[in-house]
Amino acid sequence: MTSNFKVISPHRPASAPPILEISELGRVYRMNQSFLPVLEGVSFDVQPGEMLCILGPSGCGKTTLLNILSGFLKPSEGWVRLHGKPIARPGPDRCVVFQEDALFPWLTVVENMAFGLKGKGIPRRQRQVLVDRYLSLVGLSAFRDYLPSEISGGMKQRVALARVLILEPEILLMDEPFAALDAQTREEMQHLLLRLWETLSHTIVFVTHDVREAVTLADRVIVMEKNPGKVKELVDIDLARPRDIDDDRFNRRCARLHDLLRN
Amino acid sequence: MDNREKSGLALNRLLPWIIPVVFVAGWLIVAEMRILPAYLLPHPVDILDCGYAYIFGSPGDGMYAGRFLTDAGASLVRVGVGFAVAATLGIPLGVMSGRLPVVDRLLSTSVNGIRAVPGISWLPLALIWFGIGLKTTVFLVALAAFFPIYINSASGVRQVSPVLLQAGAMMGIRSLRGTFAILLPSAMPYIISGLRLGLGISWAYLVLGELTGVTNGLGAVIMDARMVGRIDVIIVGIIIIAVIGRLSDQLLDASMKFCLKSARRSA
């Protein structure tokens, strides 16, 4: 892979319309007789092609927010618009990479990857070509006929990533996808994601509770607070890629996000 | 492979046969030493003779000679039809009640109420409704096999991880297609156990249904033999039912695995 990562300016020209608009989003859960607000007044835009991280402590409603963006949950208040149109239900234009293992355990790596393509009605020959291409993009060509139970956690998440990338979604929604991996694998996956993002230029909304992950990946970080979940601050990560995690400026960004999370 | 692994493998092959061999050996000893009179426990060699005559003999040779094919055929048809009815009702209803709370609310009280009635208490009613013969047996078999199939299908569907369904929905696979592409394969291990339990019970209720005076069938032979005091035929009948029951279970498991990826690739 080439090393000249594209640097997307966090300060996009105002002329580019946002791909996703989130306005005054609220969500209340009903607990017996009382109501528990998990999200309140959440507003932000997602620019086309950007890597946006949503950072927050556990219980701040990150996953709820992502579930609303993907269409699995309806908001109690406010609205979400994709290209100016409201989101009605889940669909392959907004694909999710889940936190836990969401591969179909009775399908091989290849069959898992072809699953969504079949649903789209893409013919067999074309499916094979696409699967082969994306399989090699995530470096799993040698494991095509393995079952999910036969490969490692990192490989599973590669498959999970590949099976949605293959659908060419406009937005990739990622719900702490690397949280369950060991530190080294997580770092590999972050680099893989950046490399794929460079090649395929998707828009990515990435939920995490890991400050260093957010600074490694993001153009912009939305820091959330909890009880109820709100946007606390929007932080630009104006570092060129590839980012050096030992660099002072990197660590200063991390320290700043840590501070925001604490107070 | 070293010697230890080899002997481990041999032991593994041997293991299922230890109990039958010890059992037959004990039986031989009891018979040889005449501990029990032959009218209570016949000699194994007599059983072999009787079984041979029952299976391979020609009808003229004796009362039970050569009846095996007719009896087994009749019984297989009854079990097959009854089990098929149970599976065609049990799987869809189970899947629906596992997935849809409305269907679960609608069915669970009635199903569990009927389930609480021992299958044998249906026999008198079935005899009045359907008379003696195929229909009564099929009714009893279907009724008894329905419950394990229904209940296992429902719990299998209930334990399907919601994330898998979400993953399907985001890839544009939902409702009916999702049912066949995600729900059923994911619940497959449970559905298979339900079917296997159901098939096992089918054989039990087959014999019950055939005890009531039908002229052919494996259960009928056993009952008939009791009337005329042919204990050797009773024992032959029991052994044949055990063997066919075991084979049909293996056949069911193997054919599910042959036909369905999800059955093959789950434990």
Side-chain angles (χ1 to χ4, degrees):
Chain A
M1 273 296 153
T2 53
S3 60
N4 56 326
F5 288 104
K6 77 179 154 187
V7 179
I8 290 187
S9 163
H11 310 286
R12 295 196 139 256
S15 61
I19 185 166
L20 204 59
E21 295 165 88
I22 292 101
S23 175
E24 292 300 319
L25 210 62
R27 171 76 199 189
V28 175
Y29 280 121
R30 230 176 130 158
M31 305 270 286
N32 302 323
Q33 295 307 308
S34 62
F35 292 94
L36 181 72
V38 275
L39 285 178
E40 207 174 84
V42 173
S43 301
F44 60 91
D45 288 345
V46 182
Q47 304 299 328
E50 83 168 323
M51 173 90 78
L52 178 74
C53 278
I54 297 173
L55 177 72
S58 60
C60 74
K62 309 184 290 269
T63 297
T64 303
L65 177 56
L66 209 70
N67 279 336
I68 293 174
L69 298 188
S70 54
F72 293 131
L73 270 182
K74 293 250 176 298
S76 314
E77 292 161 24
W79 44 260
V80 180
R81 288 194 184 133
L82 178 73
H83 290 305
K85 283 184 214 113
I87 286 172
R89 55 181 191 175
D93 51 346
R94 283 156 288 124
C95 276
V96 186
V97 179
F98 296 91
Q99 186 171 1
E100 71 254 65
D101 197 13
L103 298 177
F104 302 116
W106 62 92
L107 298 179
T108 61
V109 166
V110 171
E111 289 163 346
N112 263 290
M113 286 176 59
F115 189 90
L117 294 177
K118 259 191 193 168
K120 270 183 154 183
I122 289 170
R124 196 184 147 79
R125 183 66 59 79
Q126 209 177 333
R127 284 206 302 265
Q128 278 174 345
V129 174
L130 282 169
V131 167
D132 285 341
R133 184 194 305 160
Y134 281 85
L135 208 52
S136 73
L137 270 181
V138 296
L140 283 179
S141 299
F143 295 91
R144 46 183 306 132
D145 295 322
Y146 283 58
L147 290 174
S149 57
E150 297 165 338
I151 58 180
S152 71
M155 289 163 146
K156 282 184 210 173
Q157 287 307 71
R158 280 170 195 247
V159 180
L161 189 56
R163 78 161 171 192
V164 295
L165 287 176
I166 206 171
L167 299 174
E168 299 179 337
E170 286 187 78
I171 302 186
L172 205 54
L173 303 168
M174 306 185 75
D175 185 8
E176 306 203 37
F178 311 145
L181 306 175
D182 63 84
Q184 202 186 331
T185 312
R186 189 181 318 146
E187 211 172 293
E188 279 171 28
M189 291 300 290
Q190 288 164 357
H191 288 123
L192 173 71
L193 180 65
L194 284 170
R195 215 172 59 216
L196 291 171
W197 178 58
E198 183 211 17
T199 342
L200 307 167
S201 47
H202 292 92
T203 308
I204 298 180
V205 177
F206 191 106
V207 165
T208 182
H209 65 264
D210 179 347
V211 165
R212 296 187 74 84
E213 184 162 70
V215 179
T216 305
L217 297 174
D219 292 316
R220 290 191 301 157
V221 179
I222 290 180
V223 183
M224 292 188 65
E225 61 185 11
K226 63 175 171 180
N227 299 329
K230 281 185 195 159
V231 175
K232 188 171 198 182
E233 191 139 340
L234 245 158
V235 180
D236 291 333
I237 308 294
D238 47 354
L239 297 174
R241 295 187 176 89
R243 292 172 180 168
D244 179 1
I245 56 167
D246 296 320
D247 186 61
D248 248 8
R249 289 180 303 166
F250 187 93
N251 287 318
R252 276 205 300 278
R253 303 302 187 285
C254 292
R256 166 135 167 72
L257 291 179
H258 265 303
D259 274 349
L260 281 168
L261 280 182
R262 261 197 294 272
N263 310 310
Chain B
M1 202 174 359
D2 64 11
N3 279 334
R4 217 151 126 214
E5 273 179 71
K6 253 185 212 163
S7 62
L9 209 73
L11 182 70
N12 217 16
R13 288 257 172 81
L14 212 64
L15 225 42
W17 299 105
I18 292 178
I19 292 175
V21 166
V22 169
F23 179 80
V24 171
W27 182 6
L28 253 172
I29 291 167
V30 170
E32 283 293 325
M33 295 175 70
R34 301 182 199 284
I35 295 173
L36 288 171
Y39 69 86
L40 287 183
L41 189 69
H43 197 283
V45 175
D46 294 340
I47 298 294
L48 276 181
D49 280 347
C50 172
Y52 186 86
Y54 178 63
I55 297 172
F56 301 108
S58 56
D61 296 351
M63 195 173 162
Y64 294 100
R67 277 186 52 180
F68 172 72
L69 274 184
T70 348
D71 287 334
S75 290
L76 277 171
V77 167
R78 290 169 191 149
V79 165
V81 175
F83 177 71
V85 169
T88 15
L89 289 176
I91 295 176
L93 288 177
V95 167
M96 280 197 284
S97 91
R99 188 81 191 107
L100 308 168
V102 185
V103 179
D104 189 40
R105 284 289 283 173
L106 178 75
L107 292 182
S108 65
T109 304
S110 311
V111 166
N112 286 311
I114 299 170
R115 190 162 70 98
V117 180
I120 196 166
S121 9
W122 291 99
L123 182 61
L125 193 59
L127 284 174
I128 294 169
W129 282 350
F130 304 117
I132 291 167
L134 177 74
K135 277 190 263 178
T136 294
T137 315
V138 166
F139 171 77
L140 289 174
V141 167
L143 188 69
F146 172 80
F147 296 107
I149 297 174
Y150 169 86
I151 287 167
N152 277 277
S153 302
S155 40
V157 165
R158 257 180 232 123
Q159 62 76 48
V160 172
S161 159
V163 170
L164 293 185
L165 297 170
Q166 283 191 334
M170 101 194 161
M171 291 189 271
I173 310 284
R174 56 170 69 79
S175 58
L176 194 62
R177 241 170 119 184
T179 304
F180 286 100
I182 302 170
L183 212 57
L184 287 179
S186 192
M188 195 50 73
Y190 285 75
I191 295 176
I192 291 178
S193 345
L195 288 173
R196 290 178 66 179
L197 285 169
L199 187 59
I201 289 179
S202 295
W203 283 100
Y205 280 81
L206 167 83
V207 174
L208 177 67
E210 288 181 345
L211 290 183
T212 53
V214 289
T215 48
N216 50 19
L218 296 167
V221 163
I222 293 176
M223 207 52 189
D224 199 50
R226 190 194 71 86
M227 308 279 243
V228 297
R230 287 286 301 272
I231 192 172
D232 53 343
V233 177
I234 297 179
I235 293 173
V236 165
I238 289 172
I239 293 172
I240 287 175
I241 290 172
V243 171
I244 297 183
R246 176 87 181 102
L247 287 179
S248 66
D249 178 55
Q250 284 182 323
L251 187 71
L252 174 72
D253 199 42
S255 54
M256 294 291 281
K257 286 193 166 133
F258 181 76
C259 297
L260 300 165
K261 229 183 258 175
S262 54
R264 200 156 52 240
R265 291 174 183 168
S266 54

Short mmCIF file of all heavy atoms in Angstrom, two decimals, chain B residues 37-66:
data_model
loop_
_atom_site.label_atom_id
_atom_site.label_comp_id
_atom_site.label_asym_id
_atom_site.label_seq_id
_atom_site.Cartn_x
_atom_site.Cartn_y
_atom_site.Cartn_z
N PRO B 37 -36.75 -70.01 34.36
CA PRO B 37 -37.37 -70.92 33.41
C PRO B 37 -37.49 -70.26 32.04
O PRO B 37 -37.59 -69.05 31.92
CB PRO B 37 -38.75 -71.18 34.02
CG PRO B 37 -39.00 -70.03 34.93
CD PRO B 37 -37.66 -69.62 35.44
N ALA B 38 -37.50 -71.09 30.99
CA ALA B 38 -37.49 -70.60 29.62
C ALA B 38 -38.75 -69.80 29.28
O ALA B 38 -38.73 -68.96 28.39
CB ALA B 38 -37.34 -71.76 28.64
N TYR B 39 -39.86 -70.06 29.99
CA TYR B 39 -41.05 -69.29 29.64
C TYR B 39 -40.98 -67.85 30.15
O TYR B 39 -41.77 -67.00 29.76
CB TYR B 39 -42.34 -69.99 30.13
CG TYR B 39 -42.53 -70.01 31.63
CD1 TYR B 39 -43.15 -68.94 32.29
CD2 TYR B 39 -42.13 -71.12 32.38
CE1 TYR B 39 -43.33 -68.96 33.65
CE2 TYR B 39 -42.31 -71.15 33.75
CZ TYR B 39 -42.90 -70.06 34.38
OH TYR B 39 -43.08 -70.08 35.74
N LEU B 40 -40.00 -67.59 31.11
CA LEU B 40 -39.77 -66.20 31.52
C LEU B 40 -38.65 -65.57 30.69
O LEU B 40 -38.73 -64.42 30.28
CB LEU B 40 -39.40 -66.13 33.00
CG LEU B 40 -40.55 -66.37 33.97
CD1 LEU B 40 -40.08 -66.20 35.41
CD2 LEU B 40 -41.71 -65.43 33.70
N LEU B 41 -37.59 -66.34 30.52
CA LEU B 41 -36.47 -65.81 29.75
C LEU B 41 -35.90 -66.90 28.87
O LEU B 41 -35.16 -67.76 29.34
CB LEU B 41 -35.38 -65.29 30.70
CG LEU B 41 -34.25 -64.51 30.02
CD1 LEU B 41 -34.76 -63.18 29.48
CD2 LEU B 41 -33.09 -64.29 30.98
N PRO B 42 -36.23 -66.88 27.58
CA PRO B 42 -35.75 -67.93 26.68
C PRO B 42 -34.25 -67.84 26.46
O PRO B 42 -33.63 -66.81 26.73
CB PRO B 42 -36.49 -67.64 25.37
CG PRO B 42 -37.45 -66.56 25.66
CD PRO B 42 -37.06 -65.89 26.91
N HIS B 43 -33.68 -68.91 25.97
CA HIS B 43 -32.26 -68.95 25.64
C HIS B 43 -31.97 -68.02 24.44
O HIS B 43 -32.75 -67.99 23.49
CB HIS B 43 -31.87 -70.40 25.28
CG HIS B 43 -30.39 -70.61 25.32
ND1 HIS B 43 -29.56 -70.18 24.32
CD2 HIS B 43 -29.60 -71.21 26.24
CE1 HIS B 43 -28.31 -70.50 24.63
NE2 HIS B 43 -28.31 -71.14 25.80
N PRO B 44 -30.85 -67.28 24.47
CA PRO B 44 -30.53 -66.38 23.36
C PRO B 44 -30.51 -67.08 22.00
O PRO B 44 -30.91 -66.49 20.98
CB PRO B 44 -29.14 -65.87 23.72
CG PRO B 44 -29.02 -66.01 25.17
CD PRO B 44 -29.89 -67.17 25.58
N VAL B 45 -30.07 -68.32 21.97
CA VAL B 45 -30.02 -69.04 20.69
C VAL B 45 -31.43 -69.25 20.15
O VAL B 45 -31.68 -69.11 18.94
CB VAL B 45 -29.28 -70.38 20.85
CG1 VAL B 45 -29.36 -71.18 19.54
CG2 VAL B 45 -27.83 -70.15 21.25
N ASP B 46 -32.38 -69.53 21.05
CA ASP B 46 -33.77 -69.66 20.62
C ASP B 46 -34.28 -68.35 20.04
O ASP B 46 -35.05 -68.32 19.07
CB ASP B 46 -34.66 -70.07 21.81
CG ASP B 46 -34.32 -71.47 22.30
OD1 ASP B 46 -33.70 -72.22 21.50
OD2 ASP B 46 -34.64 -71.80 23.45
N ILE B 47 -33.85 -67.25 20.70
CA ILE B 47 -34.26 -65.92 20.20
C ILE B 47 -33.71 -65.72 18.79
O ILE B 47 -34.41 -65.23 17.89
CB ILE B 47 -33.74 -64.82 21.13
CG1 ILE B 47 -34.34 -64.95 22.54
CG2 ILE B 47 -34.04 -63.43 20.55
CD1 ILE B 47 -35.81 -64.71 22.61
N LEU B 48 -32.44 -66.10 18.60
CA LEU B 48 -31.82 -65.97 17.28
C LEU B 48 -32.61 -66.77 16.24
O LEU B 48 -32.93 -66.28 15.16
CB LEU B 48 -30.37 -66.45 17.31
CG LEU B 48 -29.32 -65.45 17.77
CD1 LEU B 48 -27.94 -66.08 17.71
CD2 LEU B 48 -29.37 -64.18 16.92
N ASP B 49 -32.92 -68.02 16.59
CA ASP B 49 -33.70 -68.88 15.69
C ASP B 49 -35.02 -68.22 15.34
O ASP B 49 -35.42 -68.14 14.17
CB ASP B 49 -34.00 -70.23 16.38
CG ASP B 49 -32.79 -71.15 16.30
OD1 ASP B 49 -31.87 -70.82 15.51
OD2 ASP B 49 -32.77 -72.16 17.02
N CYS B 50 -35.68 -67.76 16.39
CA CYS B 50 -37.00 -67.15 16.21
C CYS B 50 -36.91 -65.92 15.33
O CYS B 50 -37.71 -65.72 14.42
CB CYS B 50 -37.57 -66.81 17.58
SG CYS B 50 -39.07 -65.85 17.52
N GLY B 51 -35.87 -65.08 15.63
CA GLY B 51 -35.67 -63.87 14.85
C GLY B 51 -35.40 -64.20 13.39
O GLY B 51 -35.94 -63.56 12.48
N TYR B 52 -34.57 -65.22 13.17
CA TYR B 52 -34.24 -65.63 11.81
C TYR B 52 -35.50 -66.06 11.06
O TYR B 52 -35.75 -65.63 9.91
CB TYR B 52 -33.21 -66.76 11.83
CG TYR B 52 -32.73 -67.13 10.44
CD1 TYR B 52 -31.68 -66.44 9.84
CD2 TYR B 52 -33.35 -68.16 9.71
CE1 TYR B 52 -31.26 -66.75 8.57
CE2 TYR B 52 -32.92 -68.48 8.44
CZ TYR B 52 -31.87 -67.78 7.87
OH TYR B 52 -31.45 -68.08 6.61
N ALA B 53 -36.30 -66.87 11.73
CA ALA B 53 -37.53 -67.34 11.11
C ALA B 53 -38.47 -66.16 10.82
O ALA B 53 -39.09 -66.07 9.76
CB ALA B 53 -38.22 -68.35 12.02
N TYR B 54 -38.54 -65.25 11.77
CA TYR B 54 -39.44 -64.09 11.63
C TYR B 54 -39.04 -63.23 10.45
O TYR B 54 -39.87 -62.76 9.68
CB TYR B 54 -39.43 -63.29 12.93
CG TYR B 54 -40.29 -62.05 12.89
CD1 TYR B 54 -41.67 -62.15 12.73
CD2 TYR B 54 -39.72 -60.79 13.03
CE1 TYR B 54 -42.47 -61.02 12.70
CE2 TYR B 54 -40.52 -59.65 13.00
CZ TYR B 54 -41.89 -59.77 12.83
OH TYR B 54 -42.67 -58.64 12.80
N ILE B 55 -37.72 -63.06 10.30
CA ILE B 55 -37.25 -62.16 9.24
C ILE B 55 -37.14 -62.88 7.90
O ILE B 55 -37.63 -62.39 6.88
CB ILE B 55 -35.90 -61.53 9.63
CG1 ILE B 55 -36.08 -60.66 10.87
CG2 ILE B 55 -35.36 -60.67 8.47
CD1 ILE B 55 -34.80 -60.13 11.45
N PHE B 56 -36.49 -64.07 7.91
CA PHE B 56 -36.16 -64.71 6.62
C PHE B 56 -37.04 -65.90 6.26
O PHE B 56 -36.96 -66.41 5.14
CB PHE B 56 -34.69 -65.14 6.62
CG PHE B 56 -33.74 -63.98 6.83
CD1 PHE B 56 -33.06 -63.85 8.02
CD2 PHE B 56 -33.56 -63.04 5.83
CE1 PHE B 56 -32.19 -62.78 8.22
CE2 PHE B 56 -32.70 -61.98 6.02
CZ PHE B 56 -32.01 -61.84 7.23
N GLY B 57 -37.82 -66.39 7.22
CA GLY B 57 -38.61 -67.59 6.96
C GLY B 57 -39.69 -67.33 5.91
O GLY B 57 -39.98 -66.19 5.56
N SER B 58 -40.26 -68.43 5.40
CA SER B 58 -41.37 -68.23 4.48
C SER B 58 -42.67 -68.48 5.23
O SER B 58 -42.71 -69.29 6.16
CB SER B 58 -41.24 -69.17 3.27
OG SER B 58 -41.14 -70.50 3.72
N PRO B 59 -43.72 -67.76 4.87
CA PRO B 59 -44.95 -67.73 5.65
C PRO B 59 -45.50 -69.10 6.04
O PRO B 59 -46.15 -69.23 7.08
CB PRO B 59 -45.91 -66.99 4.72
CG PRO B 59 -45.03 -66.12 3.90
CD PRO B 59 -43.75 -66.89 3.72
N GLY B 60 -45.24 -70.13 5.26
CA GLY B 60 -45.78 -71.42 5.59
C GLY B 60 -45.11 -72.10 6.79
O GLY B 60 -45.66 -73.01 7.40
N ASP B 61 -43.91 -71.65 7.13
CA ASP B 61 -43.08 -72.37 8.10
C ASP B 61 -43.59 -72.31 9.54
O ASP B 61 -43.21 -73.15 10.36
CB ASP B 61 -41.64 -71.86 8.08
CG ASP B 61 -40.99 -72.14 6.73
OD1 ASP B 61 -41.62 -72.87 5.94
OD2 ASP B 61 -39.88 -71.63 6.50
N GLY B 62 -44.35 -71.31 9.86
CA GLY B 62 -44.82 -71.23 11.24
C GLY B 62 -45.66 -69.99 11.42
O GLY B 62 -45.86 -69.23 10.47
N MET B 63 -46.14 -69.81 12.63
CA MET B 63 -47.10 -68.76 12.90
C MET B 63 -46.56 -67.37 12.58
O MET B 63 -47.26 -66.53 12.02
CB MET B 63 -47.51 -68.84 14.35
CG MET B 63 -48.75 -68.05 14.63
SD MET B 63 -49.25 -68.38 16.33
CE MET B 63 -50.33 -67.02 16.60
N TYR B 64 -45.29 -67.15 12.97
CA TYR B 64 -44.75 -65.81 12.78
C TYR B 64 -43.70 -65.74 11.67
O TYR B 64 -43.10 -64.71 11.44
CB TYR B 64 -44.15 -65.30 14.09
CG TYR B 64 -45.20 -65.10 15.15
CD1 TYR B 64 -45.41 -66.04 16.15
CD2 TYR B 64 -46.01 -63.96 15.11
CE1 TYR B 64 -46.40 -65.85 17.09
CE2 TYR B 64 -47.00 -63.76 16.06
CZ TYR B 64 -47.19 -64.71 17.06
OH TYR B 64 -48.16 -64.53 17.98
N ALA B 65 -43.48 -66.86 11.03
CA ALA B 65 -42.38 -66.91 10.06
C ALA B 65 -42.61 -65.96 8.89
O ALA B 65 -43.71 -65.87 8.33
CB ALA B 65 -42.21 -68.33 9.54
N GLY B 66 -41.56 -65.20 8.55
CA GLY B 66 -41.59 -64.37 7.35
C GLY B 66 -42.50 -63.16 7.42
O GLY B 66 -42.77 -62.54 6.41
#
